[in-house]
């Protein structure tokens, strides 16, 4: 019956179904990969930015890649997934050749810069992984495509298939799905945390091995040069932000991930009764990305982020995590902009890594006044209570009871239409 449906569906109809089904995948960054291009008339495509169109969905997600599923048929029954086998959704399927042709045609029209390919599980994990790998093989070997390819691999598949996929793809990813083992057991009973982490560990080992081989042998094959990433669904279970950030920090440390992506749970048609009725605020996803940034670039640890949370373990939605932390630990402020270490300056709300670099460079030549700092950063209002400058000391400002209200972004009146 499903074969008859597929024959009746046009290519455009299947593209609509499978592109829509892929919108729940948040991971679509193409940064970090090895630069390749088709200069000299060899091959097709480029991983560099020239001539590439970037588009954003209404909720802000980047859709610059051709992001589709190979199929939304699935033998698994994850409660939060619109493509679960018990879901009453329209089904469709591409062949690897069709996906490769779509990618090339869209690329030549300058619509995309590469391919992000995932899939429901059809027949078996190995069969699905073979189909994903075959798509990448056609692009690389038959079309000599040199653009970006991100493959969502199947943790239950044979490691040799994942190994082969990594030789064609720039980045591979394996979803950990949910922040806690209890949540995974409850909402994705067909998946196993140990199996997922085992696949992440093997991929990490293979990436490191490939890098080592490239140092010793110039022509050794690349393996997922843009590394591996993962994605967690936020708000489908009861894990709070402190638990999510702690889990993400463990994934970075244990498996050398390039990115952990967060995807706010979206209620789906005919949803399971075990799921919440409402989606979490999209701002919660944004705060988690900000805390992820603090850990990766600002020297914060997961415990620091946990300290910034409120009583329920979630980050405040009205202010960013860095400001929330500073308001809780006011005793560490103000810091002297002319003497403070880089690590201390990076903890000042309103100072980014670029601004801190400018301050460190400028103070080699003169003692900075508040006016000088204002010229080096975007806004002086947010940093004023937390800094001491040559002509400025925030007397009692840091201790004010209404400091949070002073610094929180102003609430905007929503439009009716």
């Amino acid at each position: 019956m499903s074969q008859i449906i597929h024959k009746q569906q046009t290519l455009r109809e299947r593209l609509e179904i499978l592109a829509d089904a892929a919108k729940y995948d948040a991971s679509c960054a193409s940064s970090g990969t090895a630069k390749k291009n088709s200069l000299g008339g060899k091959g097709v495509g480029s991983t560099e930015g020239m001539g590439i169109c970037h588009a954003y969905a209404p909720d802000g997600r980047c859709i610059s890649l051709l992001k589709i599923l190979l199929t939304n048929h699935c033998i698994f029954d994850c409660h939060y997934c619109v493509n679960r086998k018990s879901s009453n959704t329209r089904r469709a399927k591409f062949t690897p050749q069709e996906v490769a042709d779509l990618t090339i045609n869209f690329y030549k029209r300058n619509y995309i810069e590469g391919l992000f390919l995932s899939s429901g599980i059809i027949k078996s994990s190995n069969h699905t992984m073979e189909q994903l790998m075959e798509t990448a093989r056609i692009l690389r070997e038959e079309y000599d495509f040199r653009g970006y390819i991100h493959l969502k691999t199947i943790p239950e598949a044979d490691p040799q298939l994942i190994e082969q996929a990594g030789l064609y793809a720039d980045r591979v990813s394996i979803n950990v799905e949910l922040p806690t083992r209890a949540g995974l057991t409850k909402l994705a009973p067909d998946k196993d945390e140990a199996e997922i982490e085992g696949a992440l560990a093997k991929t990490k080992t293979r990436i490191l091995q490939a890098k080592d081989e490239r140092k010793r042998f110039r022509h050794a094959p690349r393996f997922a040069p843009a590394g591996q990433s993962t994605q967690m669904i936020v708000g489908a279970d009861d894990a709070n932000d402190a638990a999510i950030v702690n889990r993400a920090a463990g994934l970075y440390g244990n498996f050398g991930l390039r990115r952990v992506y967060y995807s706010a749970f979206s209620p789906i048609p005919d949803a399971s009764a075990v799921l919440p009725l409402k989606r979490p605020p999209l701002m919660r996803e944004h705060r988690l990305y900000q805390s992820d940034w603090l850990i990766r670039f600002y020297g914060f640890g997961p415990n620091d982020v946990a300290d910034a949370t409120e009583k329920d373990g979630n980050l405040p939605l009205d202010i960013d995590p860095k400001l929330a932390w500073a308001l809780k630990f006011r005793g560490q402020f103000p810091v002297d902009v002319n003497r403070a270490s880089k690590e201390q300056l990076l903890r000042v709300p309103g100072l980014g890594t670029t601004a801190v670099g400018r301050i460190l460079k400028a103070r080699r030549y003169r003692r900075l006044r508040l006016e000088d700092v204002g010229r080096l950063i975007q806004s002086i209002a947010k940093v004023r209570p937390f800094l001491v400058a040559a002509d400025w000391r925030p007397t009692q400002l840091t201790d004010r009871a209404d400091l949070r209200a002073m610094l929180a972004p102003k609430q905007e009146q929503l439009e009716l239409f």
Side-chain angles (χ1 to χ4, degrees):
M1 181 65 184
S2 63
Q3 289 181 346
I4 295 174
I5 293 174
H6 292 152
K7 288 180 180 177
Q8 292 173 342
Q9 291 172 330
T10 65
L11 187 68
R12 179 167 182 165
E13 288 170 335
R14 284 183 284 152
L15 184 60
E16 288 176 356
I17 294 170
L18 294 173
D20 184 68
K23 68 184 178 185
Y24 300 100
D25 274 308
S27 170
C28 58
S30 61
S31 59
T33 187
K35 291 183 178 180
K36 300 189 292 286
N37 61 57
S38 53
L39 291 176
K42 295 180 180 179
V44 177
S46 166
T47 54
E48 298 179 60
M50 291 296 292
I52 304 302
C53 297
H54 289 266
Y56 292 87
D59 61 1
R61 289 189 173 89
C62 174
I63 53 173
S64 59
L65 307 176
L66 174 59
K67 190 163 64 171
I68 56 173
L69 300 186
L70 194 64
T71 177
N72 62 346
H73 289 274
C74 193
I75 60 175
F76 287 179
D77 203 25
C78 305
H79 290 281
Y80 50 81
C81 183
V82 70
N83 301 317
R84 68 189 191 280
K85 67 180 179 184
S86 59
S87 174
N88 182 25
T89 188
R90 284 201 302 164
R91 306 287 180 175
K93 178 184 175 185
F94 281 130
T95 65
Q97 185 68 53
E98 287 173 328
V99 174
D101 289 344
L102 279 171
T103 304
I104 288 296
N105 288 329
F106 279 136
Y107 188 89
K108 288 182 175 177
R109 287 170 172 78
N110 204 25
Y111 294 162
I112 59 168
E113 63 176 313
L115 172 67
F116 177 98
L117 186 61
S118 183
S119 179
I121 310 298
I122 45 173
K123 295 184 181 179
S124 68
S125 298
N126 282 345
H127 174 76
T128 307
M129 195 64 240
E130 286 172 355
Q131 297 284 297
L132 292 169
M133 187 191 68
E134 175 64 6
T135 305
R137 186 201 67 77
I138 294 171
L139 281 167
R140 293 296 195 217
E141 294 188 353
E142 297 185 15
Y143 291 124
D144 199 11
F145 180 63
R146 304 187 182 195
Y148 180 79
I149 297 179
H150 182 157
L151 291 183
K152 187 67 69 70
T153 58
I154 314 296
E156 300 84 7
D158 189 322
Q160 291 187 349
L161 293 173
I162 298 179
E163 154 83 20
Q164 195 65 31
L167 296 175
Y168 294 125
D170 293 280
R171 174 169 288 185
V172 294
S173 58
I174 299 171
N175 285 356
V176 297
E177 307 289 354
L178 292 157
T180 63
R181 181 189 292 267
L184 191 70
T185 303
K186 179 181 177 182
L187 300 179
D190 299 309
K191 299 191 175 181
D192 180 74
E193 186 182 71
E195 202 164 38
I196 293 171
E197 293 194 350
L200 286 168
K202 287 175 184 173
T203 303
K204 174 193 174 186
T205 302
R206 185 64 186 88
I207 290 172
L208 293 176
Q209 180 188 348
K211 287 182 178 177
D212 183 61
E213 290 171 351
R214 292 280 297 182
K215 290 178 182 174
R216 291 183 289 134
F217 307 105
R218 183 181 173 187
H219 297 292
R222 295 178 183 275
F223 181 89
Q228 64 172 335
S229 60
T230 193
Q231 176 177 322
M232 274 191 278
I233 297 171
V234 175
D237 63 357
D238 56 3
N240 60 32
D241 291 347
I244 292 171
V245 169
N246 191 55
R247 169 75 162 143
L251 291 169
Y252 279 121
N254 294 331
F255 306 114
L257 300 182
R258 297 297 290 268
R259 287 294 303 272
V260 175
Y261 291 92
Y262 304 102
S263 178
F265 161 70
S266 297
I268 54 178
D270 303 320
S272 166
V274 300
L275 293 171
L277 296 176
K278 290 176 61 179
R279 66 178 298 166
L282 203 58
M283 181 57 75
R284 185 182 176 193
E285 182 184 297
H286 180 60
R287 297 301 183 212
L288 286 169
Y289 277 118
Q290 287 180 318
S291 64
D292 186 89
W293 217 255
L294 292 182
I295 292 173
R296 295 168 61 209
F297 300 107
Y298 286 79
F300 281 67
N303 292 336
D304 295 321
V305 176
D307 287 339
T309 60
E310 299 181 323
K311 291 181 181 177
D312 60 359
N314 288 327
L315 293 163
L317 298 178
D318 60 330
I319 57 174
D320 64 77
K322 193 175 179 186
L323 178 57
W325 182 88
L327 290 174
K328 281 194 173 184
F329 296 92
R330 300 185 188 196
Q332 301 201 25
F333 301 97
V335 299
D336 190 334
V337 71
N338 289 297
R339 296 182 178 180
S341 65
K342 179 182 178 182
E343 290 73 22
Q344 288 176 305
L345 291 172
L346 284 172
R347 298 224 167 198
V348 174
L351 291 187
T353 53
T354 301
V356 169
R358 289 172 180 164
I359 289 171
L360 293 175
K361 185 176 181 181
R363 74 184 191 184
R364 294 176 193 167
Y365 306 102
R366 59 178 297 181
R367 282 180 57 77
L368 300 179
R369 299 171 300 163
L370 191 63
E371 183 183 359
D372 299 324
V373 178
R375 282 196 287 265
L376 298 173
I377 65 178
Q378 290 190 347
S379 171
I380 197 66
K382 193 172 183 179
V383 304
R384 191 183 287 126
F386 303 100
L387 281 183
V388 170
D391 62 341
W392 167 256
R393 180 170 291 275
T395 308
Q396 297 183 342
L397 188 56
T398 312
D399 298 326
R400 287 183 58 150
D402 61 346
L403 184 58
R404 176 179 179 137
M406 288 175 58
L407 299 176
K410 304 300 179 190
Q411 297 292 322
E412 295 182 5
Q413 174 66 49
L414 297 177
E415 296 182 1
L416 293 176
F417 303 100

